[in-house]
Amino acid sequence: MAIGITTIRKGDATRARIVLEAVNQASVRGLATVSLHDVADAVGLSKSGVFKHFSAKEALHLAVLETAAASFTEAVWLPAKAEARGRARMDRLFEGLMRWNEGYWRGGCPLTAAARELEQQPGDLRDYVVGQLQLLLETIARVAQGLTEPPLPDETGAQAAFEINGIVAAYKHSLSLGDPRARERAQAAYEAVVGRLTPP
Amino acid sequence: MAIGITTIRKGDATRARIVLEAVNQASVRGLATVSLHDVADAVGLSKSGVFKHFSAKEALHLAVLETAAASFTEAVWLPAKAEARGRARMDRLFEGLMRWNEGYWRGGCPLTAAARELEQQPGDLRDYVVGQLQLLLETIARVAQGLTEPPLPDETGAQAAFEINGIVAAYKHSLSLGDPRARERAQAAYEAVVGRLTPP
């Protein structure tokens, strides 16, 4: 759906406030439990006030995923892209992934949570999330390939993306178990992967 | 709670059937949505038939976690422990972890799912899950330390456990995205970690 500049109006700020609250709720409890009612309560609107912007839960859920993906681009990908190709860009991307999972949202990554939740529920929402997460893995792979000149082979990049994705997951897991050395362990694991790809 | 051998009776088979169905449901949809009603339906009992064994949802949920933990010991840990200390035990443990996440349950690992779900819900259930997952990381660490003689330092073992845990998570993630090379990637990542710990 293309939205022209002329459609921007006061109501858009309210819409954005609704979606932001919904993304935060989804990051904590998953998409399924995000209801128009709870979101209305949290942002201090009547349910009909929320209904003006989202006529159904499904529309709100899609907006949640789109907003999470757009935020990821802004908070993680664009800062990495601004760095020089190679180690600097890889480091910035990894750092961005760590921070995204540390406290960018009230809970964890809303997209990963949704992917787990929707695993056995085929449909548009699931396709959207899977597409976004595949794009992320492809992005990590491409940045990893750029660690050397000429670039590393596709397969090496894909393997690095798999492993870096795993480090981020292990980091979240260790954080949730209260491991005070989680960050340090993630950094050491990352250095080992990058070290293997870029022999001295 | 100690249960003497004298308490074993016909009803225990029904109880086991109830719990097994509940673990499978929890592996797919998480603990919160496992209700006495749904489980009763699935095993073909009346709700009062289930109530004879579990008077409250909380008791069923704890039984789900305990059964998942006991199954893990039997399916993953005991076969690894039966192998010789060193590479054989490490390989068997990794293989067990992979299979546990592939199709041992109807969904994924019920304990990991519960840990995520209970992350923001302090209480006995959460303490139990966190304890089990910490025990798992400690077990992987100890097996990894045994890769060399004399054993690797504690910190090296803990780092290896962090990384192997991440590989398993990345594997699950890639499976859910439908990556046909997920298993191969996990194996390569595992070989890289073990290779680093055991220089030729």
Side-chain angles (χ1 to χ4, degrees):
Chain A
M1 181 177 63
I3 300 181
I5 191 80
T6 51
T7 67
I8 293 180
R9 58 198 192 279
K10 192 185 158 208
D12 288 348
T14 307
R15 187 185 188 277
R17 206 151 57 89
I18 293 168
V19 178
L20 212 61
E21 172 58 28
V23 181
N24 269 313
Q25 290 193 8
S27 77
V28 175
R29 306 180 310 184
L31 213 49
T33 62
V34 174
S35 71
L36 295 175
H37 181 81
D38 286 359
V39 172
D41 263 7
V43 297
L45 284 172
S46 65
K47 201 174 164 187
S48 68
V50 171
F51 255 108
K52 258 197 279 182
H53 298 275
F54 297 99
S55 56
K57 203 165 79 166
E58 289 65 33
L60 178 61
H61 287 178
L62 184 58
V64 162
L65 297 178
E66 287 173 343
T67 300
S71 302
F72 184 87
T73 299
E74 197 183 310
V76 182
W77 172 236
L78 293 183
K81 199 180 157 206
E83 297 286 344
R85 191 178 166 284
R87 181 69 198 242
R89 185 174 294 170
M90 186 77 255
D91 285 355
R92 189 67 193 78
L93 180 57
F94 180 68
E95 182 64 27
L97 286 166
M98 299 296 283
R99 289 195 204 156
W100 175 259
N101 283 288
E102 269 162 7
Y104 192 89
W105 299 103
R106 209 176 293 154
C109 169
L111 293 166
T112 315
R116 276 194 303 264
E117 213 182 334
L118 299 168
E119 195 163 351
Q120 320 224 358
Q121 295 172 46
D124 289 350
L125 286 183
R126 180 169 192 276
D127 291 348
Y128 182 83
V129 173
V130 166
Q132 289 298 319
L133 292 175
Q134 267 164 349
L135 191 63
L136 169 61
L137 281 174
E138 284 160 25
T139 302
I140 303 176
R142 212 173 51 243
V143 172
Q145 285 182 263
L147 282 168
T148 62
E149 188 52 51
L152 293 161
D154 286 356
E155 179 45 35
T156 309
Q159 179 70 29
F162 178 98
E163 295 183 23
I164 288 171
N165 187 42
I167 294 167
V168 175
Y171 175 59
K172 285 193 280 189
H173 186 92
S174 289
L175 274 188
S176 76
L177 298 184
D179 179 358
R181 304 184 64 176
R183 189 55 138 102
E184 183 187 334
R185 297 226 158 92
Q187 197 64 39
Y190 168 74
E191 300 290 343
V193 171
V194 172
R196 226 172 68 224
L197 299 177
T198 53
Chain B
M1 180 179 61
I3 301 180
I5 190 80
T6 50
T7 66
I8 292 180
R9 60 197 189 282
K10 190 187 158 205
D12 288 346
T14 306
R15 186 186 189 278
R17 206 152 54 88
I18 294 168
V19 177
L20 212 60
E21 172 58 28
V23 181
N24 270 312
Q25 289 194 9
S27 78
V28 175
R29 307 180 309 183
L31 212 50
T33 64
V34 174
S35 71
L36 296 175
H37 181 82
D38 286 359
V39 172
D41 263 7
V43 297
L45 283 173
S46 65
K47 199 173 164 186
S48 67
V50 172
F51 255 109
K52 258 197 280 184
H53 297 275
F54 298 99
S55 56
K57 204 165 77 165
E58 289 65 33
L60 177 61
H61 287 179
L62 184 58
V64 163
L65 297 178
E66 287 174 343
T67 300
S71 301
F72 185 88
T73 298
E74 197 184 309
V76 183
W77 172 234
L78 293 183
K81 198 179 159 206
E83 297 286 344
R85 191 178 166 285
R87 181 70 198 240
R89 184 173 295 169
M90 186 78 255
D91 285 355
R92 190 67 194 79
L93 179 57
F94 180 68
E95 183 63 27
L97 285 166
M98 299 297 282
R99 289 195 204 155
W100 175 260
N101 283 288
E102 269 163 7
Y104 192 89
W105 301 102
R106 208 178 293 156
C109 169
L111 293 167
T112 315
R116 274 195 303 264
E117 212 182 334
L118 298 168
E119 196 166 351
Q120 320 223 357
Q121 295 172 48
D124 288 351
L125 286 183
R126 180 167 193 275
D127 291 348
Y128 182 82
V129 174
V130 166
Q132 289 298 318
L133 292 175
Q134 267 164 347
L135 191 64
L136 168 60
L137 282 175
E138 283 161 23
T139 302
I140 302 176
R142 211 172 53 241
V143 172
Q145 285 182 263
L147 282 168
T148 63
E149 188 52 51
L152 293 161
D154 286 355
E155 179 45 33
T156 309
Q159 179 71 28
F162 177 98
E163 295 182 23
I164 289 171
N165 187 43
I167 294 167
V168 174
Y171 175 60
K172 285 193 280 187
H173 186 91
S174 290
L175 275 187
S176 77
L177 297 184
D179 180 359
R181 306 183 65 176
R183 188 56 136 99
E184 183 186 332
R185 295 226 159 93
Q187 197 65 39
Y190 168 74
E191 300 290 343
V193 171
V194 172
R196 226 172 66 226
L197 299 176
T198 53

